[in-house]
């Protein structure tokens, strides 16, 4: 359904690459765990202001982490970046600084070993961030079209209500957003085992359909080697009985629109439409579990340009995210009652007959527009800025990924 006229006008911050952000965040980036404390002290000085902490804990280099950090530091919601390095780590801080500078954003690097240690580095970082905030405060918002918006979805803490309330309600919202020209991204292949042929039938081309099946097969092999699927004790405690049942519930978030392409972390959708994000590493199994928490998945969605993430939960999750707002869609009415301050949408009303799937889906779309225009989500109001980035390996995207701009290695 194409209903652009029924949605409110949006406004965003124009970036040099033509994309527009719905937030104007200063990111403070640590390039190794040894610089984490200094970076956090800088951020803590600006409590309640749009200054967010992100970083990579590892000392050894990793192409995936390098690509991810470059994408995140130039995310449309980011207006400026402070890089905090220790000095002897292997992360390519100069390459990151050059990428951010080339994007037209203010950027500054502090190297602790060259800057007389902790106290001086914190003081210098605070001074620069204060300047960056003043600079960004003068930046006007400009008109933004819905087809410039990227909306992602994940599920976490799923239970027996997730697949019949929150997840299909997000599917309704996705169909409406895609129909209005927006870009929507769902994931992850490890939670879609058994649904690959449903997705294949919705693929834009036969080649893409085959690629989707291969992605899910890869995920199934990966989890088989690990000896543990994407099914947690909390899922069972919440009434889910099998991986297949959980997969069908997760699949419901994607709605019914045609699938336009497959993304890998850091790929940028070139056009609007619905995309599947493959988060399971390529090659041999050597990095452990594909994502060690829901926030790792949110980060990968952000790396693909997501302005907003729709997070469905039945058991309840209170996490948010650095850089981009998270909208919590609660599946279980009892959970919503306990955690109302952390939840944005009560999809559990569907169970009691107080609302239909269509009504909740429309409510989600309306909230997406309001959040895009500056309204805070619950997680933002509570100060949640969770972030995690680990080691992975992905091959370059191939011809079966139409309409995407893969990020080439620096």
């Amino acid at each position: 359904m194409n209903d652009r006229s029924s949605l409110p006008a949006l406004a965003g911050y124009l970036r040099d690459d033509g994309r527009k952000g719905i937030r104007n965040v200063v990111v403070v980036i640590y390039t190794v765990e040894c610089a984490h404390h200094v970076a956090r002290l800088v951020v803590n000085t600006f409590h309640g202001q749009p200054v967010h902490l992100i970083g990579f804990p590892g000392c050894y280099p990793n192409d995936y982490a390098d690509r991810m950090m470059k994408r995140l530091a130039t995310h449309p919601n980011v207006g400026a970046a402070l890089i905090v390095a220790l000095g002897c780590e292997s992360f390519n801080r100069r390459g990151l600084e050059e990428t951010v500078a080339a994007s037209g954003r203010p950027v500054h690097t502090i190297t602790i070993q060259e800057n007389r240690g902790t106290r001086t580095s914190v003081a210098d970082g605070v001074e620069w961030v204060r300047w960056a905030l003043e600079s960004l405060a003068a930046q006007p918002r400009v008109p933004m079209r819905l087809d410039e918006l990227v909306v992602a979805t994940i599920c976490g803490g799923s239970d027996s209500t997730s697949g019949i309330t929150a997840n299909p309600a997000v599917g309704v919202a996705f169909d409406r957003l895609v129909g209005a020209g927006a870009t929507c991204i769902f994931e992850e292949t490890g939670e879609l085992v058994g649904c690959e042929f449903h997705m294949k039938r919705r693929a834009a081309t036969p080649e893409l359909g085959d690629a989707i099946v291969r992605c899910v097969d890869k995920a199934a092999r990966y989890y088989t080697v690990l000896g543990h699927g994407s099914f947690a004790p909390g899922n069972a405690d919440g009434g889910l009985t099998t991986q297949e049942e959980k997969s069908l519930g997760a699949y419901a978030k994607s709605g019914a629109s045609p699938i336009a392409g497959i993304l890998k972390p850091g790929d940028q959708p070139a056009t609007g439409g619905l995309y599947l994000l493959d988060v399971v590493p390529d090659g041999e199994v050597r990095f452990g579990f594909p994502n060690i928490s829901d926030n790792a998945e949110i980060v990968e969605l952000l790396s693909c340009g997501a302005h907003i993430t729709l997070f469905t939960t039945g058991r309840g999750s209170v996490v948010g995210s650095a850089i981009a707002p998270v909208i919590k869609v609660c599946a279980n009415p009892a959970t919503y009652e306990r955690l109302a301050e952390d939840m944005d949408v009560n999809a559990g009303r569907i169970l009691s007959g107080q609302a239909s799937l269509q009504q909740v889906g429309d409510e989600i779309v309306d909230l997406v527009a309001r959040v895009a225009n500056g309204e805070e989500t619950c997680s933002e109001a509570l100060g949640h800025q969770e972030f995690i980035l680990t080691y992975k390996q992905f091959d370059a995207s191939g011809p079966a990924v139409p309409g995407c701009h893969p990020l080439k290695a620096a």
Side-chain angles (χ1 to χ4, degrees), residues 204-205 208 259-263 269-271 275 398-405:
T205 66
L208 176 60
I259 299 173
I262 300 170
L263 303 174
T271 62
Y275 292 84
V401 190
C404 305
H405 293 315

Side-chain angles (χ1 to χ4, degrees), residues 175-397:
D175 286 341
R176 187 174 169 200
L177 289 166
V178 168
T183 299
C184 292
I185 307 172
F186 72 106
E187 52 74 58
E188 66 173 305
T189 47
E191 291 194 357
L192 293 167
V193 174
C195 297
E196 55 269 37
F197 292 100
H198 296 301
M199 292 186 287
K200 179 179 181 179
R201 286 192 290 270
R202 294 168 54 194
T205 66
E207 294 78 14
L208 176 60
D210 291 339
I212 289 172
V213 173
R214 289 195 298 272
C215 279
V216 178
D217 285 346
K218 177 185 69 170
R221 291 194 302 273
Y222 203 100
Y223 280 115
T224 297
V225 171
L226 292 174
H228 192 293
S230 183
F231 191 91
N235 299 141
D237 292 342
L240 288 172
T241 60
T242 62
Q243 175 68 58
E244 290 79 6
E245 185 180 12
K246 184 182 181 185
S247 293
L248 286 168
Y251 172 70
K253 302 197 307 297
S254 67
S257 301
I259 299 173
I262 300 170
L263 303 174
K264 293 182 181 182
D267 288 348
Q268 306 288 288
T271 62
L274 178 67
Y275 292 84
L276 169 65
L277 176 61
D278 175 15
V279 302
V280 176
D282 292 324
E284 62 181 296
V285 179
R286 53 178 174 156
F287 292 104
F289 292 108
N291 275 324
I292 61 175
S293 75
D294 295 321
N295 282 95
E297 297 169 30
I298 294 175
V299 167
E300 291 180 325
L301 291 164
L302 290 177
S303 76
C304 296
H307 293 94
I308 295 171
T309 298
L310 305 176
F311 191 130
T312 67
T313 183
R315 299 298 304 278
S317 173
V318 302
V319 301
S321 174
I323 297 176
V326 171
I327 293 175
K328 291 292 181 48
V329 183
C330 187
N332 191 315
T335 301
Y336 183 86
E337 185 176 349
R338 288 195 308 274
L339 299 174
E341 291 186 351
D342 290 274
M343 300 295 145
D344 298 283
V345 177
N346 181 9
R349 291 177 294 138
I350 296 167
L351 283 179
S352 61
Q354 295 174 292
S356 66
L357 279 173
Q358 184 65 50
Q359 288 172 324
V360 175
D362 289 344
E363 180 181 339
I364 293 168
V365 172
D366 178 68
L367 183 55
V368 165
R370 299 199 321 263
V371 169
N373 276 331
E375 181 176 320
E376 281 191 323
T377 65
C378 290
S379 62
E380 285 184 293
L382 292 166
H384 284 280
Q385 295 179 15
E386 287 84 355
F387 182 91
I388 185 168
L389 180 62
T390 57
Y391 286 93
K392 281 190 180 182
Q393 177 64 50
F394 286 93
D395 299 332
S397 298

